Amino acid sequence: MALPFTSRTLPQCSACLRNSAWGSVSDAAAPAFSLGSRQHVRGKKKQAKPTGNIPARLLKDLPGFGRKGAIVPMARGQLRNNYYPKRIAEYVTMPELRTLRAQNVPIERDYTFGKKEAPFSAADGPLLMPLRDDPTPAPVRRAPEVEKLTSERSLELLEIFVPHRMDFYRQPIVEEPKVEKVEEAPPKEDNKQRSASNAAADLLAARTQKPLNKPQPKLTGAIYGSVSQHDILVAVRASIATNDEASRIIVTEQDIEFLNEPARTDKRIKEVGDFTIEIKVKGEENGIKRTVRVVPQEV
């Protein structure tokens, strides 16, 4: 049996189809066209409003846009919410816009109007200065000159502020003595019963006996680490830093020389004792002599 209505009257969605089916069951006497009346009618989607800039006429001078009376492009929201209520700009009607287009009037915005020039920066490139008729050169700033110390004055200051003896504490290398084990003789078996007087005599002899001398560790004279030219340079700089004039003396590791062997060859001290060094200054053949003492550090 054919359906009493055509396919055009059928609903297009499942919800409408369900409502139509329940309606046909509950009301069988309803005409066929009533089923189509239950279908939801969906309206057309609203077209999106055009976005972008629209032409506006300036009623006042506006920095970044232009002078009064100019027609410039402006954002819709900016004109509607800000400039139009304050009577700074107004809308341009369609007849006026057609006339402007017919006359090829440019609708442009002047971004530099009413704005101050930005200060010069190094990123903009070299600044070209205008030529002056006066040939006098511009003044040049110079750093303040510091009076240089002569070599004689430097030696005199080193003689005053560097101590005659500089002590350095280092841990010595100790040689442990070898202890030989002595085999003890087994005690003799005495079958005879000892008396109390014999035991007292043995105890008295043990108390009066001298204690055995334990072997003492032997110092080899060598030390852990060393005393280098850098260590002496740090001590010299610390001593001359207490005076403003003496602190300007330039002393390097090459200016410190060991006068004793083997420190002179090794450029460092590796044992305990007193050693002589010479501190020179550039420009002088002879320097000042000082004593470096390496003291064993107690552990």
Side-chain angles (χ1 to χ4, degrees):
M1 181 177 179
L3 293 175
F5 46 83
T6 61
S7 60
R8 291 184 179 180
T9 59
L10 289 175
Q12 300 299 323
C13 63
S14 59
C16 298
L17 183 61
R18 191 182 305 110
N19 294 336
S20 300
W22 281 104
S24 61
V25 172
S26 60
D27 191 8
F33 63 86
S34 63
L35 296 176
S37 62
R38 296 176 180 270
Q39 183 178 358
H40 293 284
V41 179
R42 299 180 182 274
K44 296 182 180 180
K45 293 184 179 180
K46 295 182 180 180
Q47 296 181 356
K49 294 182 179 180
T51 58
N53 297 336
I54 59 173
R57 180 181 289 105
L58 298 179
L59 303 178
K60 297 179 181 179
D61 293 346
L62 186 61
F65 284 88
R67 297 182 179 276
K68 177 181 178 181
I71 298 177
V72 297
M74 188 175 296
R76 294 175 180 270
Q78 192 176 21
L79 177 61
R80 179 179 63 251
N81 301 326
N82 189 12
Y83 295 140
Y84 183 75
K86 296 180 180 180
R87 304 302 299 166
I88 298 177
E90 64 178 0
Y91 291 92
V92 178
T93 60
M94 290 302 297
E96 293 176 346
L97 185 59
R98 293 193 191 97
T99 304
L100 294 174
R101 290 177 179 175
Q103 297 176 358
N104 293 329
V105 177
I107 302 176
E108 297 178 353
R109 174 180 173 181
D110 188 3
Y111 291 92
T112 60
F113 175 74
K115 292 186 177 181
K116 297 181 180 180
E117 295 183 359
F120 173 76
S121 61
D124 299 335
L127 180 62
L128 300 179
M129 301 296 294
L131 297 177
R132 299 186 304 175
D133 298 335
D134 186 9
T136 305
V140 180
R141 294 183 179 180
R142 297 181 180 179
E145 296 183 359
V146 180
E147 183 181 358
K148 296 182 180 179
L149 297 176
T150 60
S151 57
E152 295 83 0
R153 181 58 178 170
S154 299
L155 278 179
E156 183 181 353
L157 293 173
L158 289 176
E159 184 70 32
I160 295 173
F161 292 100
V162 177
H164 291 272
R165 191 188 72 187
M166 291 177 283
D167 295 340
F168 294 89
Y169 292 87
R170 295 292 185 270
Q171 184 178 356
I173 298 177
V174 180
E175 182 180 355
E176 297 291 341
K178 296 181 180 180
V179 180
E180 298 180 357
K181 294 183 179 180
V182 180
E183 296 182 359
E184 297 180 357
K188 297 181 180 180
E189 296 182 359
D190 191 2
N191 297 329
K192 296 181 180 180
Q193 188 176 4
R194 302 183 64 183
S195 61
S197 60
N198 294 335
D202 294 341
L203 180 60
L204 181 61
R207 289 183 177 180
T208 56
Q209 186 180 3
K210 294 182 179 180
L212 297 177
N213 294 329
K214 295 183 179 180
Q216 298 294 331
K218 182 180 179 182
L219 297 177
T220 59
I223 59 175
Y224 288 102
S226 62
V227 178
S228 62
Q229 293 175 330
H230 178 72
D231 298 332
I232 301 174
L233 177 63
V234 172
V236 171
R237 287 180 177 177
S239 60
I240 64 178
T242 56
N243 183 265
D244 295 337
E245 186 180 7
S247 60
R248 291 187 289 161
I249 302 175
I250 300 176
V251 183
T252 61
E253 295 182 8
Q254 289 74 18
D255 299 333
I256 300 174
E257 183 180 357
F258 295 100
L259 302 181
N260 304 94
E261 293 292 346
R264 185 173 184 177
T265 305
D266 298 338
K267 302 295 183 180
R268 61 185 63 244
I269 301 173
K270 298 182 179 180
E271 56 187 5
V272 178
D274 294 347
F275 301 87
T276 305
I277 63 170
E278 185 178 8
I279 304 174
K280 296 183 178 181
V281 179
K282 292 183 180 180
E284 293 291 330
E285 295 182 0
N286 300 325
I288 62 172
K289 295 183 180 181
R290 290 294 183 265
T291 301
V292 174
R293 174 173 293 180
V294 181
V295 183
Q297 185 178 6
E298 297 181 0
V299 182

